[in-house]
Amino acid sequence: MMRRVLVVDDELYIRNILDFALNSEGFEVITASDGEEALKKAVDTLPDLIVLDVMMPKLDGFEVCRAIKGKEETKHIPVILLTARDKEADRARGDEVHCDAYLTKPFSPNKLTQMVHQFLNSNSAV
């Protein structure tokens, strides 16, 4: 069974990089360009993992993560926050909304795909 990853970023360039990197690792990739679209796709497709940008239009990544972790049908989905914001307060806010990991930009696509593999392999028994 192909594992499904939802990639959410308002920058097309980053969505394309992650789409390519994750596809080449054998993942099915779904993309969204803003927070509202992300929430809809998370509920509609129930991905195995979500890579979520923080600074986006409509709803930011913190709001999206809080909503995903607050819904019974999506709360189990691991969320990796991807952001240029690396202050301690931002990381604390990530903890408050129950994100599973926090990766700062600029990032290595290889490191991100390794994180995705780690989460999905550790959750494969679920």
Side-chain angles (χ1 to χ4, degrees):
M1 180 180 85
M2 187 178 278
R3 306 303 291 268
R4 184 179 299 149
V5 177
L6 174 58
V7 171
V8 186
D9 201 297
D10 58 326
E11 293 181 45
L12 178 62
Y13 174 72
I14 294 192
R15 287 195 312 272
N16 287 343
I17 288 172
L18 295 177
D19 188 12
F20 178 80
L22 293 165
N23 254 309
S24 64
E25 290 289 316
F27 295 104
E28 176 188 349
V29 178
I30 302 158
T31 61
S33 59
D34 65 54
E36 287 179 359
E37 185 184 8
L39 275 178
K40 180 172 179 2
K41 287 190 175 181
V43 171
D44 290 349
T45 67
L46 296 176
D48 296 293
L49 184 138
I50 300 170
V51 178
L52 183 59
D53 183 28
V54 169
M55 294 184 287
M56 290 185 301
K58 299 184 181 173
L59 295 172
D60 71 25
F62 293 125
E63 294 169 305
V64 173
C65 187
R66 176 178 280 120
I68 286 168
K69 294 297 187 174
K71 289 182 186 286
E72 192 62 37
E73 67 269 29
T74 55
K75 69 181 184 183
H76 67 282
I77 301 171
V79 176
I80 299 173
L81 286 180
L82 183 63
T83 182
R85 302 171 75 157
D86 194 22
K87 292 190 169 56
E88 196 54 46
D90 297 315
R91 288 182 177 275
R93 187 145 180 232
D95 290 340
E96 283 172 25
V97 298
H98 306 291
C99 79
D100 297 276
Y102 197 95
L103 186 61
T104 54
K105 296 176 183 177
F107 66 96
S108 155
N110 288 341
K111 180 173 182 175
L112 181 78
T113 55
Q114 286 175 346
M115 288 176 81
V116 170
H117 277 294
Q118 287 172 340
F119 274 106
L120 294 183
N121 289 339
S122 67
N123 291 343
S124 60
V126 174

